[in-house]
Amino acid sequence: MGLLSHSVSLTRYKVEGTLEKPILETVADCLKARAIPEIDGDVSEKTVGWTSFETPFQPAFEGSSFEMGPYFVFSLRIDKKIIPSKVLKKHCAMEEAKRLAESGRHYLSRNEKNGIKEHVANLLSLRIPATPHIYDLVWSYEEGLLWCFSTLKAANEDLEAIVIISFRLPLIRLCVFTTA
């Protein structure tokens, strides 16, 4: 659920610390440095990075496109490649049959089967496209608050990690216990 959805789920964070001045240029540089790379045609299973709110599939942070009044609005994009287990099993069985026919043996060792599985998984990950997951963010820098429009544990953990890497600012998740 994104920022402009008819229903939203969100997680609130307190941002600890401050950025170097000028703030706008620092945020732009940090977003550009960790913009999401494309992993289609690559063996990577997952990638995490920043993208713009308006064009999430073409990350561009030209000028102050992410600034909306006193807020910074941008998105976190997580691309994952998931190979269905039955597809992997099918291609492994075909490769095992091919190897058995070539060698003239009746069985393959466990190491050979593991090697085939790894090889087939790498080949399939080159061919399968990545599935993008986009999570909108609103950051009120002056108040030190950040809202992530997701309550998924994995997405929030990736967000917390990339904010520390990109901006060198820790996030504190605001829930009943941390606000008390």
Side-chain angles (χ1 to χ4, degrees):
M1 297 291 156
L3 174 61
L4 298 178
S5 298
H6 64 280
S7 65
V8 294
S9 300
L10 66 93
T11 304
R12 297 177 338 159
Y13 289 97
K14 175 77 176 151
V15 182
E16 292 289 314
T18 58
L19 293 171
E20 295 177 15
K21 294 188 179 187
I23 303 296
L24 196 59
E25 291 176 17
T26 303
V27 172
D29 291 343
C30 292
L31 291 174
K32 287 177 189 175
R34 293 286 176 189
I36 185 136
E38 288 296 328
I39 62 170
D40 291 337
D42 191 11
V43 187
S44 302
E45 292 180 11
K46 178 182 173 182
T47 186
V48 178
W50 303 119
T51 188
S52 65
F53 175 72
E54 293 92 10
T55 57
F57 301 110
Q58 298 171 349
F61 300 104
E62 304 309 321
S64 58
S65 62
F66 54 89
E67 181 186 24
M68 293 186 185
Y71 302 103
F72 299 135
V73 180
F74 50 95
S75 298
L76 173 71
R77 191 170 114 195
I78 302 171
D79 289 357
K80 292 181 184 178
K81 289 184 180 181
I82 301 171
I83 302 170
S85 61
K86 295 201 185 249
V87 172
L88 182 62
K89 187 175 182 179
K90 171 189 163 189
H91 285 274
C92 284
M94 291 179 354
E95 185 67 25
E96 287 173 10
K98 180 180 167 186
R99 292 260 178 102
L100 286 173
E102 288 174 355
S103 67
R105 295 184 295 167
H106 298 292
Y107 63 91
L108 295 173
S109 70
R110 178 179 289 167
N111 288 339
E112 288 174 310
K113 287 183 180 182
N114 288 339
I116 289 172
K117 185 175 182 180
E118 185 176 316
H119 174 71
V120 167
N122 286 338
L123 287 177
L124 289 175
S125 70
L126 286 173
R127 293 178 20 203
I128 195 165
T131 305
H133 301 279
I134 300 167
Y135 306 100
D136 297 330
L137 304 169
V138 176
W139 182 4
S140 174
Y141 180 75
E142 294 169 359
E143 296 177 20
L145 295 174
L146 184 133
W147 296 276
C148 174
F149 289 86
S150 172
T151 55
L152 295 174
K153 182 180 178 184
N156 287 322
E157 288 174 354
D158 286 338
L159 170 68
E160 293 167 11
I162 196 167
V163 166
I164 289 174
I165 293 169
S166 300
F167 301 105
R168 292 178 177 55
L169 298 174
L171 294 178
I172 299 172
R173 193 176 302 187
L174 296 177
C175 62
V176 176
F177 301 108
T178 56
T179 54

